[in-house]
Amino acid sequence: MGLRERLAGRRVLVTGMTGFMGEALLERLLSDFPDTQVVALVRPRGSHSGAARLARMLRKPSFGPLRERLGAAELAAVLARQVQVVEGDLASLPQLPAEIDVVIHCAGEVSFDPPIDDAFRINVGGVQELVRALRAGGSAPHLVHVSTAYVAGLRSGHIAEGPLAHGVDWRVEQAYAARVREQTEDASRSPENSARFRRAAGRGFAAAGAQTVSAEAERLRREWVARRLVSAGGERAQVLGWTDAYTFTKALAERWLEEHHGELPLTVVRPSIIESALARPFPGWIEGFKMAEPLIIAYGRGELPDFPASPDAVVDIIPIDLVVNATLAAAAAPPPVDSPAYYTVCSGFRNPLRFQELYSHVREYFLADPLPQRGRGAIGVPQWPFAGAPAAEARLRRGELVVGAAGRVLSQVPASRRARVWAGQLERAQTRVGFLRRYSDVYRAYTKAELVYVDDATRALYEGLDEADKVDFGFDPRCFDWRHYLQEVHCPAVTAVLRRPRAAAAPRRLSGNLAAGDGVLAVFDLDGAVAAASVVESYLWMRLADEGVWGRARELASLAAALPGYARADRRDRGHLMRAVYARYAGVDPLELERLVAEVAGDVLLRRVRPAGIRRVREHRAAGHRTVLLTGALEVVTRPLASLFDDVVAARLEVGGDGRLTGRLESSPLVGDARAAFVRHHARGVGADLSVSWAYADSQSDLPLLGAVGNPVAVNPDVALHQVARGSGWPIEEWLVAAGESRMVVGSRVERRWQAAAGRGVR
């Protein structure tokens, strides 16, 4: 009797239906098992119900051949007729349908480095909840548990199918995993760690204000907790003899099932590294990147100079469709209740692929068909020396040191277009080094375990198929050639997206995309965004206007001595910088200040204005938005631009009893968190909706302001803001000063030296 007949009339519950394995199973069941009823456990996500998620799956490439054969309408009808959706997840299963005949349990935490509590909750707790729900529903189905061959752990040599030989108590380990998050959370809140997170946040975000520093400190704390939980899982696994928390918890799930499956016939299917399809649903089909693909792509990009593996070690890869076929064959052959069955679905015993062969086939593929490098021809691939794990680790550590040093230097560089280019290059380097570190850590344990999985029981299962099923549902790993599979099936599939022609990137401008409407604020920073200016330069424009050569020299010398302090203040507390600069106005006649703005400084400011910024202000006004100029510059300095804005919020200097300026501000400067607080207050006052409002700024001190609106835009950002904007997906724009107008008009050689110094130290 064939597989179709043996599963005909059966009701099969499948967990993990939206994962790689579950999707492949569903495609095969709908294509070839019309008389088999499927119960799909699908978790709702967001606004999408479980049934809606399953229906959306039918539009994926895996169902393309079936869609073409049946038509989309008929395929939807088949889904409705053959599949019953149960909404829920393995944390707490709902009532399951009665009379379930087979369960194929594919769901699980499959990442290599999950937090330890998540790994136990999903991989061990999931099977416990599944068995509980099955018994509560009154069914005693054949339970097919999809595990992994790597539950064998850190061993060497041949590994036979069958129960694992270990004495680890799953009860103790599960209880520890349940406690470790609480312990780690408590440790993260200790005074020592709290102070460390606060100091680290302050180094990067002090200028943005206390609230931003607090938010960053809390983010660092959560990251620390996540890293500790991942480390706890990995270290506990390796000390007990497994590669990582994934294989460790999968092994303990098997042990729990062996002890508690009771009246349920139990089959454990252990695939090795599951990769793209050999033939079904079509050659090369793969869903997401698995274990080998990131390394193949990194090698093709020239970013993987070596790999810490022995060239003669076996890398055990198996195509997804062979795993699905073996799982269906196992599902159709329930073992005796008191004698669980174990099947290792692998290639290493009957069709071994060694690392040297994998490398050679992949290298030949990229040499014959290299990846394109936009505008610079093809990417060359490195030749691996197979120097060993210590050499690879030393190379990686050198890279991490270089990238770390570059990051520290770049954090001190003032904002400029060149600095932003360097920041982009550094981010790419950090990404490459981070990728290499993660995969080095993940694969190091696997490369130490030089295993050969024996698949005698799986071969016997295959030999027991009738001849027609051997053709339609075969899983003999000797049925394909590695060179053909890697060079003509797998590598073309995983690199296809990198070979697609890319349309030329349009300039990143937002003009023309402004929706008209009331209740929208458009908040613009002046210094560094709308104009290439700073509070220090504004002071110079007026202070030097009526001075002779020696007076200018004295003033510049005084400012030059203060520059290092101003630069430090600019990074730590923009308000302190403003107070220090504005103190220099003490004793100035406010009428004289207004005269200097009208005769000198106003003209200088207009020459430093960025035309793109002015266009953007006008576009917002044309769209009916309320424009706001929010700046630390003196209100009198902003008057030449006041007509462009509905509201101007600027600094005002106190006038003393003698009618002259005291050098003190009338109120605290709006910097950092205060800017966000003001904008929220202002929005309430004018009836604006910040979720659709805009803000334009250039400095990391403006992060609270940018974070307060729905449409933040980083304009000529400094390095810190550039990194946040890139990471957050905010638009980044370059607004330039008109050609020939970027130099101070008070134009002596001394003043030009000052401008260069100001550009290096203070914005």
Side-chain angles (χ1 to χ4, degrees):
M1 185 183 296
L3 288 184
R4 293 179 181 87
E5 291 75 23
R6 282 191 275 165
L7 290 175
R10 300 299 183 93
R11 177 174 281 188
V12 180
L13 169 66
V14 181
T15 70
M17 184 66 86
T18 57
F20 183 41
M21 177 81 174
E23 184 177 334
L25 267 169
L26 179 62
E27 189 277 334
R28 204 73 209 265
L29 288 167
L30 295 184
S31 297
D32 296 290
F33 294 83
D35 299 321
T36 300
Q37 293 297 308
V38 179
V39 179
L41 177 66
V42 185
R43 180 177 65 249
R45 177 173 292 174
S47 61
H48 298 291
S49 66
R53 291 185 66 199
L54 204 62
R56 288 165 63 90
M57 279 179 61
L58 299 186
R59 302 201 295 263
K60 300 178 83 169
S62 56
F63 292 90
L66 190 56
R67 267 198 317 272
E68 292 178 10
R69 177 158 61 89
L70 299 180
E74 177 59 22
L75 178 56
V78 169
L79 181 71
R81 184 169 60 246
Q82 195 174 340
V83 180
Q84 176 184 356
V85 177
V86 175
E87 294 195 345
D89 60 31
L90 292 172
S92 179
L93 281 171
Q95 177 85 27
L96 295 177
E99 299 180 355
I100 293 174
D101 300 295
V102 180
V103 175
I104 302 178
H105 178 47
C106 301
E109 172 58 72
V110 298
S111 66
F112 298 110
D113 53 354
I116 188 172
D117 58 328
D118 286 348
F120 269 91
R121 177 175 51 83
I122 297 170
N123 288 342
V124 180
V127 297
Q128 294 168 339
E129 175 64 9
L130 176 61
V131 171
R132 181 207 63 76
L134 289 171
R135 288 184 173 135
S139 295
H142 173 203
L143 176 55
V144 181
H145 175 66
V146 180
S147 186
T148 172
Y150 288 91
V151 291
L154 294 168
R155 305 168 190 258
S156 297
H158 289 64
I159 305 298
E161 293 158 303
L164 298 174
H166 69 79
V168 177
D169 189 336
W170 62 265
R171 299 166 185 82
V172 173
E173 300 305 324
Q174 189 174 23
Y176 164 70
R179 296 192 306 269
V180 70
R181 178 175 287 274
E182 183 177 354
Q183 295 169 352
T184 305
E185 290 280 357
D186 287 346
S188 74
R189 291 173 168 85
S190 70
E192 297 79 13
N193 278 325
S194 294
R196 184 161 58 87
F197 300 142
R198 179 174 52 79
R199 287 194 300 270
R203 285 193 294 270
F205 295 94
Q211 291 300 309
T212 301
V213 170
S214 295
E216 174 65 9
E218 177 61 13
R219 187 189 69 81
L220 293 173
R221 186 197 68 80
R222 290 194 298 268
E223 283 190 350
W224 184 85
V225 168
R227 287 195 304 270
R228 287 289 294 267
L229 291 173
V230 168
S231 177
E235 291 297 333
R236 188 61 188 155
Q238 292 193 28
V239 78
L240 291 174
W242 280 273
T243 52
D244 48 38
Y246 163 61
T247 58
F248 175 43
T249 53
K250 280 291 194 180
L252 295 190
E254 287 190 17
R255 181 53 43 86
W256 187 91
L257 283 170
E258 289 161 356
E259 294 179 5
H260 293 86
H261 71 93
E263 75 287 2
L264 307 180
L266 174 64
T267 294
V268 177
V269 176
R270 295 170 175 162
S272 57
I273 302 170
I274 306 177
E275 295 295 350
S276 65
L278 182 65
R280 289 290 302 264
F282 55 83
W285 172 72
I286 192 167
E287 190 77 15
F289 283 172
K290 307 304 170 191
M291 191 165 183
E293 295 76 48
L295 299 180
I296 290 172
I297 289 175
Y299 179 76
R301 285 174 166 168
E303 298 171 353
L304 194 63
D306 198 1
F307 190 72
S310 301
D312 57 350
V314 171
V315 53
D316 204 308
I317 291 172
I318 192 75
I320 177 66
D321 43 347
L322 273 63
V323 179
V324 167
N325 292 346
T327 302
L328 291 170
V337 170
D338 59 351
S339 183
Y342 297 84
Y343 300 109
T344 301
V345 190
C346 60
S347 62
F349 187 55
R350 303 189 186 280
N351 188 10
L353 173 69
R354 291 174 174 79
F355 269 105
Q356 178 65 55
E357 295 169 321
L358 172 64
Y359 161 71
S360 297
H361 294 327
V362 172
R363 178 173 170 79
E364 285 177 11
Y365 169 76
F366 282 117
L367 289 176
D369 192 8
L371 291 177
Q373 188 169 215
R374 282 187 295 173
R376 290 179 288 176
I379 300 176
V381 291
Q383 185 167 354
W384 282 359
F386 282 101
E393 177 66 18
R395 185 199 296 263
L396 178 55
R397 286 188 180 277
R398 286 195 298 271
E400 289 172 329
L401 289 173
V402 169
V403 167
R408 289 189 292 274
V409 170
L410 192 57
S411 67
Q412 305 299 317
V413 174
S416 68
R417 174 177 282 186
R418 178 171 294 180
R420 288 186 284 277
V421 171
W422 291 339
Q425 294 171 343
L426 177 62
E427 287 171 15
R428 289 189 290 274
Q430 289 171 331
T431 299
R432 287 195 296 270
V433 170
F435 167 87
L436 293 175
R437 167 54 64 196
R438 181 175 188 276
Y439 279 90
S440 174
D441 292 345
V442 165
Y443 283 98
R444 185 183 299 116
Y446 284 87
T447 59
K448 291 178 182 177
E450 298 186 4
L451 304 172
V452 176
Y453 300 109
V454 177
D455 60 349
D456 290 338
T458 307
R459 181 185 182 187
L461 181 67
Y462 169 76
E463 295 295 344
L465 299 177
D466 64 28
E467 293 306 314
D469 282 347
K470 287 181 181 178
V471 174
D472 293 342
F473 300 99
F475 47 91
D476 185 348
R478 297 173 299 179
C479 69
F480 63 93
D481 170 73
W482 283 114
R483 183 187 296 274
H484 165 77
Y485 174 74
L486 289 168
Q487 295 187 1
E488 299 182 32
V489 177
H490 189 62
C491 287
V494 301
T495 61
V497 67
L498 302 177
R499 300 184 186 279
R500 293 174 187 164
R502 297 187 182 182
R508 293 198 67 185
R509 296 188 67 249
L510 300 174
S511 300
N513 295 331
L514 301 178
D518 297 329
V520 179
L521 292 182
V523 184
F524 292 82
D525 185 21
L526 175 65
D527 302 342
V530 174
S534 72
V535 294
V536 179
E537 289 175 293
S538 299
Y539 170 77
L540 276 177
W541 297 339
M542 293 173 287
R543 182 69 181 86
L544 303 182
D546 291 341
E547 289 284 353
V549 173
W550 291 110
R552 293 177 181 178
R554 283 192 301 273
E555 187 63 32
L556 287 170
S558 173
L559 275 171
L563 265 181
Y566 288 169
R568 289 191 296 271
D570 192 41
R571 289 192 294 270
R572 292 195 307 268
D573 184 349
R574 181 65 60 89
H576 178 71
L577 168 67
M578 292 169 60
R579 290 184 174 99
V581 172
Y582 289 147
R584 290 176 173 268
Y585 286 87
V588 172
D589 184 341
L591 295 178
E592 178 66 11
L593 189 61
E594 291 184 6
R595 180 189 69 81
L596 290 173
V597 170
E599 295 180 1
V600 178
D603 182 58
V604 175
L605 177 63
L606 292 176
R607 290 175 182 269
R608 306 297 299 281
V609 160
R610 305 183 194 272
I614 300 303
R615 284 196 299 270
R616 188 62 49 77
V617 175
R618 288 172 174 158
E619 288 166 4
H620 279 286
R621 290 178 70 96
H625 302 168
R626 189 178 186 92
T627 55
V628 180
L629 181 64
L630 181 59
T631 178
L634 292 177
E635 185 273 337
V636 66
V637 174
T638 68
R639 288 179 185 173
L641 299 176
S643 62
L644 289 171
F645 297 92
D646 297 296
D647 305 293
V648 175
V649 183
R652 292 176 177 272
L653 291 175
E654 180 186 74
V655 179
D658 59 356
R660 292 182 174 271
L661 299 178
T662 64
R664 295 187 294 270
L665 291 166
E666 287 186 352
S667 59
S668 297
L670 292 179
V671 295
D673 297 324
R675 287 194 166 191
F678 170 81
V679 167
R680 294 188 186 99
H681 170 75
H682 191 65
R684 288 193 295 269
V686 299
D689 181 358
L690 288 183
S691 69
V692 295
S693 293
W694 298 73
Y696 300 83
D698 73 309
S699 169
Q700 64 115 343
S701 65
D702 295 308
L703 280 171
L705 167 64
L706 294 169
V709 299
N711 298 294
V713 182
V715 178
N716 306 337
D718 60 21
V719 171
L721 177 57
H722 185 272
Q723 291 173 336
V724 173
R726 285 278 298 268
S728 303
W730 295 348
I732 299 173
E733 295 208 342
E734 297 281 347
W735 291 354
L736 304 179
V737 176
E741 297 178 352
S742 61
R743 201 164 42 181
M744 294 179 65
V745 296
V746 275
S748 71
R749 181 179 302 172
V750 174
E751 287 137 13
R752 288 196 295 274
R753 286 179 184 169
W754 151 251
Q755 188 181 11
R760 287 193 300 271
V762 180
R763 286 191 58 74

